[in-house]
């Protein structure tokens, strides 16, 4: 099996964080690391990994025009971080070429009688296009493609490439989808698929932070794009009458998005923008805050085809979570969070004031139950069994058969 991904591989993390000033896709990297962790725990480690680091382009979001790759090892598998010229617009073509070159080398090493499964992450053009070209080139090989789909093409790529991505998706043999609604949109039909909203890579010894060690703060971590409700959250918080709680915001965005955040920081001393933080720093703050907030509301079309990975991370922290009942999220999650009214987005302010004025022990108990729910049901080991089931299906076997 070959895994094609776009995460920040361990040996390159510090280097990538340095050359991008933190402009890396933490959520995508965390997701893929959890997938690999879960596969390994199920004794299903990929034989080969071809990886394209998920970083911003030169010159605005990366200091390096040329990003050098290199080999690495993951468990029993062999991996390669692709090298590429990181220039805006042209980057996609250099990335595609680099992945295709690595795939060719790997396929030559595999015995002709062996079947080949390529497990890929995302429908992004630089990842999917070389996979399809390899599949079409080596028609004498038994190549099957299974793709994990975290986002629909129209929400991750330039409009002129969307049609091409849907056409390329017809060459995929099996899917792992974040939401059930994706199946119809991708015209999956009779091809095997499973819905897996995400795997959580957890330490089973984790415990919720005691009340005495928490700070009076609401915390949002993630993209600063207004689409995700950040401005709506900021506007609501400025109207909250209680002055003892703070609002912490961290994450990456464009210079304009960051300036929009800082306008609220200057306006209200309770609001703090903490910049771009490393994952371990984010996790630490999630456990120190009193409440975590996901302000993404239900008004936009893309919410049917997405499951915010922060939902799983928030619940796993043991800290009470406030969010909207997003249409792409399984309803079972709603038993473990405080819900905003999907028909009344302006109720963010009312809900924040309600939880502040209530007995915190109620929400502390909810946070404990939420963490237990994730640890019992959504670990990487359990969730990746769904991926394995799809892989075995495209191979013509039932999961568990030898």
């Amino acid at each position: 099996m070959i895994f094609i991904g776009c995460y920040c591989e361990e040996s390159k993390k510090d280097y990538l964080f340095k050359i991008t000033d933190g402009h890396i896709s933490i959520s995508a990297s965390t997701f893929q690391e959890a997938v690999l962790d879960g596969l390994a725990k199920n004794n299903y480690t990929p034989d080969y990994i071809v990886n394209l680091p998920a970083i911003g382009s030169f010159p605005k979001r990366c200091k390096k025009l040329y990003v050098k790759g290199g080999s690495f090892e993951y468990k029993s598998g062999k991996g390669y971080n692709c090298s590429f010229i990181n220039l805006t617009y042209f980057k996609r073509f250099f990335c595609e070429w680099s992945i295709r070159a690595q795939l060719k080398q790997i396929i030559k090493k595999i015995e002709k009688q062996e079947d080949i499964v390529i497990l890929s992450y995302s429908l992004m053009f630089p990842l999917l296009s070389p996979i399809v070209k390899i599949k079409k080139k080596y028609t004498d090989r038994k190549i099957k493609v299974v793709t994990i789909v975290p986002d629909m093409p129209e929400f991750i790529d330039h409009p002129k490439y969307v049609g091409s991505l849907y056409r390329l998706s017809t060459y995929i043999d099996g899917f792992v989808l974040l939401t059930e609604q994706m199946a119809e949109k991708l015209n999956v039909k009779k091809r095997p698929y499973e819905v897996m909203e995400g795997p959580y890579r957890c330490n089973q010894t984790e415990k919720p932070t005691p009340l005495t060690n928490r700070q009076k703060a609401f915390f949002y971590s993630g993209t600063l794009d207004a689409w995700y409700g950040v401005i709506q959250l900021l506007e609501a918080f400025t109207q909250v009458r209680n002055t003892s709680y703070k609002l912490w915001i961290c994450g990456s965005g464009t210079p304009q998005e960051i300036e929009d955040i800082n306008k609220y920081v200057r306006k209200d001393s309770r609001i703090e923008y903490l910049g771009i933080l490393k994952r371990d720093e984010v996790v630490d703050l999630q456990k120190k805050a009193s409440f975590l907030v996901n302000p993404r509301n239900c008004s936009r079309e893309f919410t049917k085809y997405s499951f915010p990975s922060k939902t799983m991370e928030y619940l796993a922290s043991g800290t009470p979570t406030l969010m909207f009942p997003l249409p792409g999220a399984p309803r079972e999650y709603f038993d473990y969070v405080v819900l905003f009214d999907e028909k009344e987005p302006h109720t963010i302010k009312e809900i924040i004031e309600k939880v502040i004025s209530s007995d915190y022990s109620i929400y502390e108990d909810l946070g404990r139950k939420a963490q237990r729910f994730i640890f019992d049901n959504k670990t990487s080991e359990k969730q990746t069994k769904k991926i394995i089931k799809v892989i075995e299906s495209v191979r013509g076997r039932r999961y568990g058969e030898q």
Side-chain angles (χ1 to χ4, degrees):
M1 183 172 69
I2 306 168
F3 178 74
I4 309 292
C6 54
Y7 69 105
C8 292
E9 188 270 321
E10 193 63 39
S11 68
K12 289 283 186 179
K13 276 187 178 177
D14 289 341
Y15 166 72
L16 294 173
F17 203 89
K18 182 179 179 180
I19 67 173
T20 62
D21 290 329
H23 287 288
I24 59 179
S25 181
I26 293 177
S27 60
S29 289
T30 301
F31 188 110
Q32 291 167 84
E33 289 175 277
V35 166
L36 290 170
D37 175 70
L39 291 173
K41 287 176 178 174
N42 282 293
N43 298 314
Y44 219 86
T45 300
D47 301 289
Y48 300 94
I49 297 173
V50 179
N51 184 50
L52 189 71
I55 61 173
S57 302
F58 177 88
K60 289 187 176 180
R61 294 194 170 214
C62 183
K63 301 170 186 174
K64 294 286 186 179
L65 173 60
Y66 177 72
V67 178
K68 187 177 181 181
S71 300
F72 65 92
E73 292 185 0
Y74 182 82
K75 309 295 183 183
S76 58
K78 297 179 180 178
Y80 188 81
N81 288 311
C82 292
S83 302
F84 57 94
I85 295 176
N86 195 30
L87 186 63
T88 301
Y89 181 75
F90 297 101
K91 169 183 179 177
R92 64 193 300 123
F93 302 104
F94 290 112
C95 290
E96 180 194 0
W97 179 88
S98 187
I99 289 176
R100 191 165 73 246
Q102 286 302 316
L103 277 174
K104 284 181 180 178
Q105 290 185 31
I106 291 170
I107 288 173
K108 288 177 182 177
K109 296 176 183 177
I110 299 173
E111 297 290 337
K112 284 197 172 183
Q113 66 270 22
E114 290 188 47
D115 64 334
I116 300 172
V117 173
I118 298 176
L119 173 63
S120 64
Y121 176 85
S122 175
L123 294 175
M124 289 191 300
F125 183 86
L127 300 182
L128 186 56
S129 179
I131 292 170
V132 171
K133 287 178 179 177
I134 287 292
K135 184 177 181 179
K136 292 167 73 173
K137 177 181 175 66
Y138 293 96
T139 54
D140 59 326
R141 308 299 296 270
K142 298 176 182 178
I143 299 178
K144 298 291 185 180
V145 179
V146 173
T147 300
I148 301 168
V149 184
D151 298 286
M152 300 303 293
E154 54 265 51
F155 305 123
I156 59 171
D157 215 327
H158 192 281
K160 73 177 183 179
Y161 292 108
V162 170
S164 297
L165 288 171
Y166 275 107
R167 286 191 291 274
L168 290 172
S169 72
T170 63
Y171 290 91
I172 297 171
D173 300 287
F175 297 85
V176 179
L177 309 174
L178 256 66
T179 75
E180 185 65 46
Q181 293 93 322
M182 286 179 163
E184 182 178 355
K185 187 83 170 175
L186 286 167
N187 199 23
V188 168
K189 292 185 176 179
K190 294 184 179 181
R191 287 176 287 178
Y193 77 93
E194 288 283 329
V195 175
M196 184 194 77
E197 69 274 14
Y200 182 71
R201 187 181 181 182
C202 72
N203 176 358
Q204 291 285 357
T205 62
E206 292 180 50
K207 294 182 179 179
T209 303
L211 176 61
T212 52
N213 295 335
R214 290 190 183 276
Q215 296 185 36
K216 288 188 173 183
F218 291 81
F219 180 42
Y220 168 83
S221 57
T223 305
L224 303 182
D225 193 314
W227 270 40
Y228 298 104
V230 184
I231 298 300
Q232 191 178 32
L233 170 61
L234 288 163
E235 189 63 37
F237 194 81
T238 60
Q239 300 171 37
V240 171
R241 293 183 293 272
N242 186 294
T243 58
S244 63
Y245 274 79
K246 292 182 177 292
L247 173 61
W248 299 335
I249 303 280
C250 80
S252 63
T254 65
Q256 183 57 56
E257 288 165 351
I258 293 172
E259 175 54 26
D260 290 342
I261 301 294
N262 283 326
K263 286 178 183 176
Y264 285 93
V265 173
R266 292 191 290 269
K267 178 180 176 181
D268 191 326
S269 62
R270 298 172 299 168
I271 300 173
E272 298 179 13
Y273 173 57
L274 308 174
I276 300 171
L277 304 177
K278 291 185 177 180
R279 173 167 161 69
D280 56 347
E281 295 173 314
V282 173
V283 171
D284 185 51
L285 287 172
Q286 287 174 352
K287 294 178 180 179
K288 286 181 178 178
S290 293
F291 296 95
L292 305 178
V293 188
N294 181 2
R296 184 184 300 190
N297 63 52
C298 312
S299 62
R300 295 187 180 271
E301 176 75 7
F302 78 93
T303 59
K304 293 194 296 185
Y305 310 110
S306 69
F307 178 85
S309 58
K310 69 169 61 65
T311 302
M312 199 169 281
E313 288 189 11
Y314 278 8
L315 269 62
S317 71
T319 300
T321 296
L322 284 59
M323 64 177 284
F324 285 96
L326 298 171
R331 296 188 65 83
E332 59 182 337
Y333 282 84
F334 302 158
D335 293 334
Y336 303 98
V337 299
V338 178
L339 289 173
F340 298 125
D341 187 339
E342 62 180 310
K343 296 180 181 178
E344 301 290 342
H346 65 271
T347 58
I348 290 178
K349 167 185 172 286
E350 282 79 6
I351 295 297
I352 288 177
E353 289 187 328
K354 177 184 175 182
V355 299
I356 287 175
S357 62
S358 300
D359 181 356
Y360 186 76
S361 65
I362 298 171
Y363 303 108
E364 190 175 30
D365 184 56
L366 183 67
R368 288 197 193 96
K369 290 177 180 177
Q371 186 182 61
R372 195 71 264 156
F373 166 68
I374 297 296
F375 286 4
D376 288 345
N377 302 282
K378 306 298 179 180
T379 63
S380 58
E381 183 175 2
K382 290 187 177 182
Q383 290 287 78
T384 50
K385 290 182 188 295
K386 297 179 180 181
I387 299 176
I388 298 170
K389 184 177 178 181
V390 176
I391 292 173
E392 292 297 284
S393 182
V394 301
R395 279 175 161 165
R397 303 195 299 240
R398 289 187 178 182
Y399 181 30
E401 289 182 351
Q402 297 298 317

